[in-house]
Amino acid sequence: MFFTAKSILKRDPAAKSLMMVILTYPGLHALWFHRVAHWLHIHHRYLLAAIISRWSAKRTDIFIAPGAQIGRGVFIDHGVGVVIGETAIIDDGVTILHGVTLGARHAVTERRHPHIESYSFIGAHAQILGNITIGANSKVGANAVVLNDVPAYSTAVGNPARLV
């Protein structure tokens, strides 16, 4: 997790020191709790994973379902109101701003949440819904509602989101 803290320090101009990031960034704290909850989840300790996840959400105001798969160096900036669903996949180096939802559109038994590929940027209050993919190095604008795949190296804005 020090890799993630160092990654945040490099990417956030407001971060003045590694110690500041470690002690005061709720997005980093939520990711730490998620790592524990996810480990418990994959080892079939679902109740304890859910309890840790809920406790973390109350403490950080960031909800990450225990089954979500999250890569290295993910930066949840500010974090307030972020919701990441159970079958979501977030690859390495993704930046997520406050109020973002990685949610489902339909109740289905297979994967129902988005896959965010490496080094993508998700703007504040964006809603990315369903079993879709946000391609590597893509950007999703603030308040966008994304219902379809976004190709790599693209930018999606609006409601419903369109490529620009």
Side-chain angles (χ1 to χ4, degrees):
M1 287 310 292
F2 285 108
F3 175 86
T4 300
K6 290 176 185 176
S7 172
I8 291 169
L9 183 60
K10 288 179 189 173
R11 292 180 354 214
D12 187 2
K16 304 301 182 207
S17 70
L18 186 61
M19 193 57 66
M20 178 183 184
V21 172
I22 291 169
L23 294 175
T24 67
Y25 276 54
L28 182 63
H29 299 164
L31 289 168
W32 284 345
F33 290 121
H34 172 71
R35 301 283 184 219
V36 173
H38 185 69
W39 185 90
L40 290 165
H41 179 83
I42 62 175
H43 289 89
H44 309 288
R45 303 293 188 257
Y46 302 116
L47 178 59
L48 188 53
I51 290 168
I52 289 170
S53 179
R54 284 294 169 187
W55 185 84
S56 173
K58 187 149 182 77
R59 186 173 187 281
T60 64
D61 208 14
I62 299 166
F63 176 74
I64 306 173
Q69 299 173 43
I70 300 179
R72 293 172 40 124
V74 170
F75 178 20
I76 301 174
D77 195 6
H78 304 293
V80 174
V82 169
V83 176
I84 300 172
E86 186 74 22
T87 62
I89 300 170
I90 303 172
D91 291 343
D92 298 342
V94 171
T95 299
I96 299 172
L97 298 186
H98 58 281
V100 168
T101 299
L102 304 181
R105 291 179 66 192
H106 308 289
V108 293
T109 56
E110 66 270 359
R111 196 168 75 80
R112 62 191 184 279
H113 296 96
H115 178 185
I116 312 299
E117 293 184 348
S118 297
Y119 305 102
S120 294
F121 179 92
I122 312 299
H125 299 282
Q127 309 298 300
I128 304 173
L129 305 174
N131 183 6
I132 62 173
T133 299
I134 305 300
N137 296 288
S138 292
K139 295 177 184 172
V140 174
N143 292 308
V145 177
V146 184
L147 304 174
N148 298 305
D149 290 346
V150 174
Y153 299 94
S154 299
T155 300
V157 298
N159 178 7
R162 64 191 185 291
L163 300 179
V164 293

